[in-house]
Amino acid sequence: MKNLFVKIAAVGLLMLAPAVAQAAEGYSTANVNMRAGPSTRYPAVAVISAGSSVEIRGCLSDVNWCDVEFYGGRGWVSGQYVQASYQQRRVYVGPQYYRPLGIPMIRFSVDNYWDRYYRNRDFYRDRDRWSRGPDYYYRDRDNRDRDRDRDNRDRDRNWRERDGDRDGRDRNRDWRDDNQRDDRQRGDRQRGERQRDDRRGDDRRPDRRDFDCRPGDPSCDE
């Protein structure tokens, strides 16, 4: 019976051995961003400080990026910032060391990876665009920004045109007001001149010949 338990335990250890080999211990060589995907264009999810320990869960075969675990969080770091112990020395994690270090080669899928680790992140709502790749996401965002800028320019142009029309109407109204004011002032001056002329006519001394002379008045003699 005891031997049976020993055999079962040995089989269990053999079954667990591949799982244990699915991760390798690594060290960050610099303050580096841990990102939501294998590119510097994916959102940063944490900062791994220099010298920190990480668990390398797998790396891509085509590009030197690795899926790592850091303080319970998951993300991607370039292999050029991660070292691992190999034959009593530290080496930068590269494809030639994946197999000796027991690091599996894996694939990356935004849908599966983000569903598993980033459901509570703000960028998760843009998962459909990110799933087409970071280049597509940024190109799509740039197109949206250009469309928004164009809409803003059109709106500004419409505002300027409306402002120009309003300014033109204001200038025309000011011109009419100025003309009407000039006409009123000119009319006031003309009335004032006529009134002054009338007062001067009233103030003229009458010609003595306009009076009837009285007999014996020497002023009536010519």
Side-chain angles (χ1 to χ4, degrees):
M1 190 70 177
K2 183 177 180 180
N3 291 336
L4 179 62
F5 284 128
V6 171
K7 290 180 180 179
I8 293 174
V11 171
L13 289 175
L14 289 175
M15 294 178 63
L16 290 174
V20 172
Q22 297 302 305
E25 186 176 4
Y27 305 89
S28 173
T29 60
N31 295 332
V32 61
N33 285 319
M34 184 170 72
R35 296 187 174 272
S39 169
T40 56
R41 307 196 76 177
Y42 281 103
V45 296
V47 176
I48 303 175
S49 57
S52 297
S53 176
V54 297
E55 289 292 325
I56 305 171
R57 296 296 179 180
C59 298
L60 301 178
S61 60
D62 52 346
V63 291
N64 190 21
W65 280 77
C66 297
D67 175 19
V68 303
E69 182 176 350
F70 177 66
Y71 280 103
R74 291 287 287 272
W76 291 81
V77 177
S78 172
Q80 63 181 333
Y81 297 109
V82 178
Q83 288 183 333
S85 296
Y86 175 70
Q87 295 181 352
Q88 298 181 347
R89 61 191 177 96
R90 286 189 178 184
V91 296
Y92 281 97
V93 176
Q96 69 273 28
Y97 294 110
Y98 291 171
R99 187 179 297 275
L101 291 171
I103 301 173
M105 287 186 290
I106 58 176
R107 296 177 181 272
F108 171 69
S109 169
V110 167
D111 293 335
N112 294 334
Y113 199 87
W114 286 23
D115 282 346
R116 191 177 305 162
Y117 302 115
Y118 301 137
R119 283 184 176 273
N120 62 336
R121 297 281 185 155
D122 291 338
F123 55 78
Y124 182 81
R125 62 175 176 266
D126 295 327
R127 183 190 58 170
D128 291 339
R129 287 200 297 271
W130 280 107
S131 64
R132 303 182 187 182
D135 293 336
Y136 176 87
Y137 173 80
Y138 278 97
R139 184 169 60 251
D140 184 46
R141 190 187 65 178
D142 292 342
N143 290 335
R144 293 197 305 272
D145 290 342
R146 282 195 294 271
D147 292 340
R148 183 170 61 251
D149 292 340
R150 184 166 55 250
D151 292 341
N152 290 337
R153 287 195 299 271
D154 293 341
R155 186 162 55 248
D156 290 342
R157 185 172 59 251
N158 292 334
W159 285 343
R160 287 195 299 271
E161 290 175 353
R162 286 197 296 270
D163 290 341
D165 293 340
R166 184 169 59 248
D167 291 341
R169 291 193 298 269
D170 292 341
R171 282 194 297 271
N172 290 334
R173 184 171 59 250
D174 293 340
W175 180 80
R176 289 193 300 270
D177 292 343
D178 290 341
N179 288 339
Q180 292 173 357
R181 185 168 55 252
D182 292 340
D183 290 342
R184 287 194 299 271
Q185 291 175 351
R186 190 162 43 249
D188 292 341
R189 284 196 300 270
Q190 291 174 353
R191 284 194 296 273
E193 291 173 354
R194 286 196 297 270
Q195 291 173 356
R196 284 195 298 272
D197 292 341
D198 292 342
R199 283 196 296 272
R200 282 198 298 269
D202 293 340
D203 293 340
R204 283 199 307 267
R205 296 182 62 185
D207 195 335
R208 287 184 301 220
R209 289 175 297 184
D210 294 338
F211 293 91
D212 293 335
C213 293
R214 296 180 180 178
D217 187 350
S219 63
C220 295
D221 295 337
E222 294 183 0

